[in-house]
Amino acid sequence: WALWIDADERLTDALREELRRRLADGSLEACDAWRIPVDTHVLGRRMTCRELSGRPHLRLFRTRGATFADAAVHEGVTLPPGARIGDLAGPLDHHTMTSWREYLRKVDRYTRLEAGRGSRARAAWHLWVAAPATFWRQYVRRGCVRDGWAGLVWAGTSALGAVLRDARTLA
């Protein structure tokens, strides 16, 4: 088994206990992989908006036959055909933005990695609609407006990231 967590993620007590219980009673063996809900924290606030609150991610899996999907940023796990996937209840805590300045460096690094992966024509068109569309999607449609200042910063920084990626693709 492999439990994949990022450097800015932590196991919660609830997840730790669930994993111990499932290992002890053998119920972990019921599936080949498990999705774990991820609770994201931005500037110290646990976010409640749709994309950032309890969204499950495939993070626990049998290593036999599993591979990491090739991606410059936000890689994923690819499972063999027919793999059984279950859902755990205990979440991971993801402290993605502890400081805005630090997060801007991360956005800079990620957009440099993502630049050039799409078509220049799409990037040129997308550059003009990316910022307002990304902000609207995050802040209004996904409900970051409920998260106050942290939600506003998240939506704005997401919009900035979309613009930087497209601008760098065109450069």
Side-chain angles (χ1 to χ4, degrees), residues 44-60:
R45 178 188 175 100
R46 183 183 171 276
M47 302 295 279
T48 62
C49 63
R50 252 189 333 193
E51 181 179 87
L52 303 176
S53 177
R55 187 172 173 202
H57 297 270
L58 185 67
R59 293 303 186 84
L60 179 64

Side-chain angles (χ1 to χ4, degrees), residues 6-153:
D6 290 339
D8 57 0
E9 295 174 334
R10 303 290 178 266
L11 274 70
T12 61
D13 290 340
L15 178 57
R16 214 177 268 113
E17 287 306 312
E18 183 176 6
L19 290 172
R20 282 186 187 120
R21 180 183 52 77
R22 287 185 176 276
L23 280 168
D25 69 14
S27 61
L28 193 66
E29 298 299 321
C31 292
D32 300 305
W34 295 88
R35 286 182 292 253
I36 299 174
V38 177
D39 288 336
T40 299
H41 300 257
V42 172
L43 301 176
R45 178 188 175 100
R46 183 183 171 276
M47 302 295 279
T48 62
C49 63
R50 252 189 333 193
E51 181 179 87
L52 303 176
S53 177
R55 187 172 173 202
H57 297 270
L58 185 67
R59 293 303 186 84
L60 179 64
F61 52 93
R62 293 179 195 274
T63 57
R64 180 182 62 246
T67 58
F68 276 97
D70 183 30
V73 178
H74 301 299
E75 59 282 329
V77 175
T78 302
L79 299 172
R84 298 163 303 182
I85 303 171
D87 291 296
L88 297 176
L92 281 171
D93 273 339
H94 181 207
H95 294 269
T96 189
M97 187 190 299
T98 56
S99 143
W100 194 52
R101 183 166 283 150
E102 177 186 314
Y103 194 75
L104 286 176
R105 282 192 290 274
K106 187 177 182 179
V107 168
D108 179 60
R109 188 171 55 251
Y110 282 9
T111 57
R112 286 180 193 282
L113 290 169
E114 291 175 326
R117 288 189 159 298
S119 77
R120 289 178 53 82
R122 181 184 180 280
W125 172 83
H126 193 250
L127 184 61
W128 296 104
V129 298
T134 300
F135 183 85
W136 175 263
R137 183 176 60 249
Q138 293 290 341
Y139 197 64
V140 177
R141 286 192 53 221
R142 293 182 176 164
C144 285
V145 65
R146 295 188 311 261
D147 292 315
W149 175 248
L152 181 67
V153 170

